[in-house]
Amino acid sequence: MKVSSSWIKKWLGRTMLNDHEIAEALERAGMEVEQIIESKPIDEKVIVCSVKKVIQHPNAERLKICEVAVGERQWKIVCGAPNVREGMKAALAQIGTVLPSGDRIEKAKLRGEVSEGMLCSERELEIGNDHNGILEVSSEVAEGTALCDIYPADTVIDIKTPANRFDVLSVVGLAREVAAMTTATLSGLPTPLTAKAAGEGPAVEKGAEAGRYMLARLKVNQAGHSPRDMQARLSAAGMRPISPVVDVTNYVMLELGQPLHAFDATKVQLPIDVRFARTGESLTTLDGVERKLNEKDLVIVDKRGPIALAGVMGGAETEVDASTTEILLECAIFDSALVRKAAKRHSLRTEASARYERGLPVALSPIALSRAVELFEQVAGGKMVAVTDQLNEHPEITSITLPLSRLVRLLGFGITHKEAAEALEKLQISIVSSHKNQITVSEVPWWRTDLKLPEDLVEEVVRVVGYDQVPSTIPSWRPQKVEFDRRRAKRRRVRDLMYAAGLFEVVTYSFVSAEQLRDLGLELAGHSKLKNPLSSEQAYLRSTLLPSHLSVLARNRHYAKELGFYETSNVFVKSDKTGEQPDEPLRLGVMVSRPELAYSVVRGVLDALARELNLEVRVEPANRDEFAPGRAAEVKLGSMKVGVIGQLHPERLRVLKIDGEAAYMELDLTPLIEASRPRQFAGASRFPATSRDLTVLLPERVTWQAVADELVGQRVEFVDDYRGAELPEGYKSLTLRLTLSHPERTPTETEAVELEATMLRRLERKLGAKPRD
């Protein structure tokens, strides 16, 4: 929120605080001051002049020659502003003037005509953003008046306010905070509406969907302009002054935090009601956009239908214009959640919705309406004709009791009952001092809807006392029970092994898109969907690391021909039971991309991991859509499936524009780590071992794992496999190495030959193997 410091000072009465002291007070109160913008004073040579004559420039279609005067003195000015006309008063920068931008005005010749100064726009004087024409000064201002007297230099403070404090999204609320942190006092606060209405209020039906709905009928005169100080304060807050009616409603909203909306009374067909929109209804809002409404949109309606989107924006059909002489002024309280959802649904977050979203109390409306009526009388000759007030929710009265011992314990330093009471009273929170051992607030101020618990009072006390008074101490704590995480060391060993294998560690988001899941053939129904995702690309919780790793691979494909990385992270497996939270198993994902032999590298990582954790894992063929046919397998620990491994389908790599091969492995780490046991070492034999290489023909369907299972109990190593035209159809050649050792002697040649023959007979009988010549 941007606010003029002079506006804050207006509510602080007679104060000697400078702008930086006000900003420091706001920071001590817990506000985040993002920027202090100090405006440059307008040069005294910029004065108010009258435009006496305007003629067309003879050599330029878009330029005009103006004769301007201050009393008897006259100047000739070449000007291109479309709004310059005879009889108006404007801001004249005389020769020698230095503009806020640093530019100096000199006598110049424009298309052959001499210009003895410049007529300035708001932007050129840095008092506003309008650059469509020159600044038009009120006819009531005397000629020759220095513009710096009309628009004095002011400082704008840009503040980021807490999301649970509606009161500090107003000038009065900020002034209240400054007063609490300094010696200044708050003064001149507006009171609830007490004006007498001449007639019966405008007809309002049930209006039950609003906590409070006030509707006043006022006669207004829009012939003039809003006061200069009002326009300056609105401009400082980032709002463009438009007309007396619009300016007053915006001014009260910024000043008190209560949004108001004015309908042209002649364009409304009473009665008015507050209800939810019906199917098929639409509303063209003030920004000219037709919005399709649904049953969740809260709207203001008259006999014809919706005329405003409640708490967000009014409708164009009932807009106040220059001919408006009578208005219906709405001052209402709407449900914060309904307004927030409507603003998000229609992508229409406004200054009004930003305030309603924080939850406004019903006690605010009569105060804001009273202030608006007062300003309408001053600015637009307004007169209230009638008012309707429907109170559907009574003000909530909250009382809080805080034991002094608890206050001291939570603060971390000693404080007396008197000091705590004085701190709260500076925030206008009155306490009952009947008991010196506790702080009792019988009624929380209506503007502090965030105060509900005793801890809230603790925060208020320390805000006033000062966070710098809280001592820096280390709390003493002794755990009653110490439990060591014995799995942490094993997880570290897994990480070290990945580093040793030359793999980079990556950390990816737990969210994936529907498109990523569909590309892998995964059902969306089997994944948990976020209610409020940051974007459509992060709408689901992943059940596997593969979608994220494919994205990493695609983004990094240009940096290296060979790439390998891993990640240990939780995935989210949706529970079959309705309402249950998803399971979150810890997974290890490994991705390797190479011109060739990518699967061999990943399989080598699996074997190294099994050796490191002292596990016997099995790899069994499986059919999985994400892998190439015949190049996918399940990893098992005993009979339990603990992961998958395989070579990614070439078509998937082609879509991602990845050359070569890519292999992937994903394992459940928790069961692997829990099954890990220390190695049991036996003494090595002092005698040399004997080995034999055995080459056999096996049916193509027989895997190396099946061979290893048949030869269990023997020291067997895989050497090579071969497929070629010279082999029988449907067969492959497999070479394995048998090793024979004895603890007390060297194995004989006869024993080695006998072992080779025994193993060959077993493979022939069990797997249909044939010896290869």
Side-chain angles (χ1 to χ4, degrees):
M1 177 182 179
K2 292 182 178 179
V3 61
S4 164
S5 62
S6 64
W7 203 355
I8 295 177
K9 293 176 184 178
K10 172 183 178 296
W11 293 104
L12 292 176
R14 300 179 66 181
T15 178
M16 299 302 293
L17 295 174
N18 60 41
D19 298 335
H20 286 274
E21 288 172 335
I22 289 176
E24 289 173 3
L26 290 172
E27 287 185 324
R28 290 200 304 273
M31 314 298 144
E32 184 178 343
V33 177
E34 296 188 317
Q35 192 177 12
I36 300 176
I37 308 167
E38 296 181 347
S39 64
K40 297 177 182 178
I42 301 175
D43 194 316
E44 293 181 352
K45 291 188 177 67
V46 181
I47 59 176
V48 176
C49 69
S50 295
V51 180
K52 300 297 184 181
K53 188 177 181 181
V54 178
I55 61 174
Q56 181 64 46
H57 193 295
N59 302 319
E61 183 180 349
R62 296 187 179 181
L63 296 180
K64 296 180 178 65
I65 300 173
C66 307
E67 292 183 6
V68 301
V70 174
E72 302 260 341
R73 190 177 177 190
Q74 292 188 346
W75 292 264
K76 182 181 177 182
I77 307 293
V78 177
C79 178
N83 65 329
V84 65
R85 66 184 186 279
E86 294 180 8
M88 72 178 295
K89 286 188 176 180
L92 170 65
Q94 303 176 74
I95 294 173
T97 299
V98 178
L99 297 176
S101 62
D103 295 333
R104 184 181 180 88
I105 303 300
E106 302 287 356
K107 188 174 182 179
K109 183 176 287 189
L110 301 176
R111 294 291 184 95
E113 296 293 334
V114 175
S115 182
E116 300 172 319
M118 184 176 76
L119 298 180
C120 303
S121 67
E122 286 186 3
R123 188 191 299 176
E124 289 162 340
L125 297 174
E126 295 188 6
I127 57 174
N129 296 319
D130 191 0
H131 195 56
N132 295 323
I134 59 173
L135 172 66
E136 186 167 353
V137 181
S138 172
S139 59
E140 300 174 0
V141 180
E143 293 179 0
T145 303
L147 215 69
C148 59
D149 295 336
I150 306 175
Y151 296 96
D154 198 2
T155 297
V156 176
I157 304 175
D158 192 358
I159 307 160
K160 187 176 181 180
T161 58
N164 65 335
R165 295 280 305 276
F166 88 88
D167 58 307
V168 294
L169 209 56
S170 68
V171 178
V172 170
L174 295 174
R176 187 182 288 115
E177 295 293 307
V178 172
M181 300 298 152
T182 62
T183 58
T185 57
L186 203 63
S187 63
L189 291 179
T191 56
L193 183 67
T194 58
K196 297 290 184 180
E200 186 178 348
V204 176
E205 291 189 345
K206 304 183 294 298
E209 300 301 338
R212 188 170 198 162
Y213 195 81
M214 301 185 73
L215 189 66
R217 183 187 294 272
L218 292 97
K219 292 186 178 296
V220 295
N221 179 7
Q222 297 205 88
H225 298 279
S226 303
R228 290 190 297 272
D229 58 345
M230 178 179 287
Q231 293 188 33
R233 288 167 180 171
L234 290 174
S235 298
M239 288 187 168
R240 183 171 61 89
I242 298 174
S243 68
V245 170
V246 176
D247 292 352
V248 167
T249 56
N250 287 336
Y251 192 85
V252 173
M253 177 183 66
L254 294 173
E255 190 171 65
L256 298 178
Q258 169 70 65
L260 304 171
H261 182 68
F263 302 98
D264 188 321
T266 61
K267 301 176 183 178
V268 176
Q269 295 184 13
L270 297 175
I272 277 180
D273 192 11
V274 184
R275 63 166 171 81
F276 287 99
R278 295 166 184 161
T279 303
E281 287 186 327
S282 63
L283 171 69
T284 300
T285 46
L286 289 172
D287 57 359
V289 178
E290 183 179 0
R291 304 186 184 276
K292 303 298 181 182
L293 305 175
N294 63 31
E295 294 82 354
K296 296 180 181 180
D297 290 324
L298 190 64
V299 291
I300 314 300
V301 297
D302 66 359
K303 281 185 178 180
R304 295 169 300 179
I307 58 175
L309 187 57
V312 182
M313 185 176 284
E317 289 187 2
T318 56
E319 181 181 6
V320 172
D321 54 35
S323 63
T324 300
T325 58
E326 191 170 357
I327 64 170
L328 295 177
L329 184 63
E330 174 193 87
C331 185
I333 302 297
F334 303 114
D335 181 81
S336 59
L338 291 177
V339 174
R340 180 173 62 252
K341 291 176 181 178
K344 182 178 180 180
R345 189 160 46 245
H346 294 282
S347 300
L348 190 62
R349 194 168 190 271
T350 60
E351 290 286 347
S353 69
R355 285 160 175 80
Y356 277 120
E357 287 172 8
R358 303 190 180 203
L360 303 181
V362 294
L364 176 59
S365 295
I367 298 174
L369 187 58
S370 174
R371 177 62 172 157
V373 170
E374 176 188 354
L375 289 174
F376 273 123
E377 291 175 352
Q378 299 172 5
V379 174
K383 181 180 180 182
M384 189 171 72
V385 178
V387 63
T388 300
D389 184 4
Q390 283 196 359
L391 181 61
N392 300 315
E393 293 179 7
H394 290 281
E396 182 180 355
I397 298 177
T398 304
S399 61
I400 304 175
T401 299
L402 172 64
L404 191 61
S405 58
R406 188 175 184 183
L407 172 63
V408 172
R409 178 170 59 83
L410 292 176
L411 285 180
F413 62 91
I415 188 171
T416 65
H417 182 280
K418 181 180 179 182
E419 291 170 335
E422 290 176 348
L424 292 174
E425 286 172 355
K426 292 202 72 174
L427 291 167
Q428 298 185 12
I429 302 173
S430 300
I431 70 167
V432 179
S433 303
S434 58
H435 200 298
K436 293 298 182 182
N437 292 327
Q438 66 183 26
I439 304 294
T440 303
V441 178
S442 59
E443 185 175 344
V444 172
W446 61 264
W447 62 85
R448 291 305 304 271
T449 55
D450 58 306
L451 300 184
K452 300 181 182 301
L453 303 173
E455 289 78 6
D456 295 331
L457 293 184
V458 177
E459 183 178 354
E460 298 306 301
V461 170
V462 75
R463 281 204 307 135
V464 177
V465 173
Y467 289 103
D468 56 332
Q469 299 300 314
V470 180
S472 299
T473 58
I474 299 176
S476 60
W477 175 76
R478 292 183 178 85
Q480 297 180 353
K481 184 179 180 182
V482 178
E483 294 184 359
F484 293 99
D485 185 359
R486 301 185 183 280
R487 292 176 295 183
R488 180 179 296 238
K490 294 180 181 179
R491 290 199 298 266
R492 188 181 299 114
R493 284 165 55 191
V494 171
R495 188 182 301 112
D496 292 342
L497 177 65
M498 297 298 112
Y499 286 141
L503 303 177
F504 294 100
E505 183 176 14
V506 298
V507 179
T508 58
Y509 288 113
S510 298
F511 313 115
V512 293
S513 66
E515 183 180 2
Q516 287 177 291
L517 297 177
R518 291 194 192 98
D519 288 346
L520 292 174
L522 301 175
E523 294 291 337
L524 298 183
H527 292 78
S528 299
K529 185 176 182 180
L530 302 182
K531 288 185 177 180
N532 54 342
L534 296 175
S535 68
S536 60
E537 296 179 353
Q538 298 180 337
Y540 291 86
L541 289 171
R542 64 186 179 187
S543 62
T544 170
L545 300 175
L546 181 55
S548 304
H549 286 199
L550 285 174
S551 298
V552 173
L553 186 61
R555 286 195 301 270
N556 291 274
R557 68 184 185 274
H558 298 301
Y559 300 131
K561 292 183 178 180
E562 297 185 4
L563 180 65
F565 55 87
Y566 80 97
E567 179 180 11
T568 54
S569 184
N570 296 93
V571 297
F572 302 85
V573 180
K574 192 174 182 179
S575 175
D576 296 332
K577 297 180 181 179
T578 304
E580 291 287 333
Q581 294 293 323
D583 297 327
E584 301 182 29
L586 180 66
R587 296 275 179 87
L588 167 67
V590 176
M591 177 74 76
V592 172
S593 174
R594 295 165 58 93
E596 57 182 0
L597 301 177
Y599 175 80
S600 299
V601 176
V602 175
R603 177 57 195 265
V605 173
L606 175 62
D607 293 341
L609 180 63
R611 287 193 300 270
E612 182 68 24
L613 298 179
N614 193 26
L615 299 172
E616 291 288 339
V617 297
R618 297 166 51 83
V619 177
E620 297 183 356
N623 292 321
R624 298 183 66 92
D625 293 339
E626 61 266 37
F627 296 116
R631 303 293 285 174
E634 293 180 347
V635 181
K636 291 191 174 181
L637 182 64
S639 60
M640 178 175 62
K641 176 186 170 182
V642 293
V644 295
I645 185 173
Q647 181 176 325
L648 292 176
H649 200 291
E651 182 63 23
R652 194 175 306 282
L653 299 183
R654 186 188 67 79
V655 172
L656 296 175
K657 300 180 180 179
I658 298 172
D659 298 329
E661 298 178 355
Y664 179 72
M665 173 178 69
E666 186 168 321
L667 303 172
D668 277 323
L669 266 186
T670 302
L672 294 175
I673 289 175
E674 289 179 347
S676 175
R677 295 292 183 269
R679 289 192 182 92
Q680 300 293 327
F681 290 96
S685 174
R686 294 180 295 120
F687 301 94
T690 299
S691 61
R692 286 288 188 275
D693 284 354
L694 175 62
T695 300
V696 295
L697 293 176
L698 285 168
E700 187 68 44
R701 58 180 171 78
V702 177
T703 65
W704 160 248
Q705 185 66 54
V707 174
D709 290 343
E710 292 300 329
L711 303 183
V712 65
Q714 304 295 328
R715 290 176 59 185
V716 185
E717 298 177 54
F718 172 82
V719 177
D720 192 16
D721 62 355
Y722 173 75
R723 295 168 178 80
E726 67 273 18
L727 299 180
E729 185 178 356
Y731 278 81
K732 64 181 176 182
S733 174
L734 177 69
T735 301
L736 50 92
R737 181 165 295 149
L738 304 171
T739 301
L740 177 64
S741 65
H742 199 283
E744 298 179 353
R745 58 182 174 82
T746 301
T748 64
E749 182 69 17
T750 303
E751 290 174 328
V753 171
E754 184 179 347
L755 174 65
E756 183 178 353
T758 300
M759 296 300 102
L760 179 58
R761 285 195 301 271
R762 186 181 297 178
L763 294 177
E764 288 176 343
R765 185 174 67 255
K766 296 289 186 177
L767 301 178
K770 298 178 182 179
R772 185 182 178 189
D773 298 334

